[in-house]
Amino acid sequence: MSDLKDSLLSQKEAFDAALSKVTDSAAAEQLRVAFLGKKGSLTQVLRGMGQLSAEERPLVGKVANEVRSHMEEILSARISEIKELEKSHKLKREVIDVTIPSSYEGAGARHPLNMAINEICDIFLGLGYSIGEGPEVEYDKYNFELLRIPEGHPSRDTQDTFYITDNILLRTQTSGLQIRTMEKQKPPLKVICPGKVYRSDALDSTHSPVFHQIEGLVVDKGVTMGDLVGSLQLFAKKLFGENTKIRLRPHHFPFTEPSVEVDLTCWSCGGKGCRVCKGEGWIEVLGAGMVHPEVLENCGIDSEVYSGFAFGIGVERTAMGRYGIDDIRLLYENDVRFLKQFK
Ligand code: PHE
């Protein structure tokens, strides 16, 4: 019996000595297998217990259990220590020095469409407008219904789009932002809302199924058509120069009354007539009008007290004029040779 006890205690010493040399998880596992595994040396010693008498067995058993729990405890403590160490080494190794100079030298340029949007918004910010926005995936009621374009209205035909469900679609115009703005804010209000819009149009040098508009909306007491004309005149001069004139042509939009289409004097020839304006001297850039009283009422605004104007600027056309781009497709192909020119 004392033989067994002795060998248990010498196992313990051997284990402690071996453990003090263990410095990584793999060595710890090896040690566990060597002592505590199925063929481990402690296990072998314990096999010898079968030969002990019934009185001796519990006494040796007690020592054996103590030795085994001792081994298991200090081993698992050592393993946690090692894990911590390994983790902190790994973190040290994977540190990124953000101060090392990069090898990338080619800084990009702002996209001409964003340049145009920024330029236009800046002009209106200077006039006291604030900037608004809304979702490209829009409810039918904002894109059409509350703008007086009910189901079956002919103007839906010219603005066919991608329907996600019967009443959710990719917006065809930013005019829905008029409604969204007026639902949230009460007059006086002056907002400008740039955004991407979608229409089922074929791509050619002047059309794209995805394009950008900037919606403007002003609502207050006593707003008139004169205010609209004055604001647009100012916008045109700021963007294309002092000599730029605007021309209003009567038009129809369901959500404005009266409605107009607005042309600017050609940015290429100044109005004499050239290839860019197809000999007209004028280029159509936006639609506008006085907000229809029913649209105001749809948003809970008293049309007896308040009036307003709205306009929608075509960004692509404006950018093309402003930067001398002759094909709308260049704006979406993102050929770096084209984009680099705007640095
Ligand atoms: N949403 C109109 C269009 O896409 C433009 C517009 C905006 C007209 C605001 C009037 C007022 O053609």
Side-chain angles (χ1 to χ4, degrees), residues 237-306:
K237 284 182 190 293
K238 287 242 178 202
L239 196 63
F240 288 104
E242 273 308 305
N243 295 328
T244 312
K245 291 191 188 59
I246 65 169
R247 175 176 86 172
L248 275 56
R249 283 176 290 106
H251 196 73
H252 171 77
F253 297 108
F255 42 92
T256 48
E257 179 60 34
S259 303
V260 288
E261 273 188 334
V262 182
D263 304 334
L264 305 193
T265 40
C266 176
W267 35 72
S268 184
C269 63
K272 290 191 284 291
C274 68
R275 201 177 51 87
V276 172
C277 58
K278 301 198 182 76
E280 294 276 326
W282 297 94
I283 296 177
E284 183 207 322
V285 167
L286 58 109
M290 298 304 290
V291 180
H292 197 291
E294 270 179 33
V295 172
L296 294 174
E297 300 288 341
N298 282 345
C299 304
I301 293 173
D302 188 344
S303 62
E304 298 286 334
V305 180
Y306 292 101

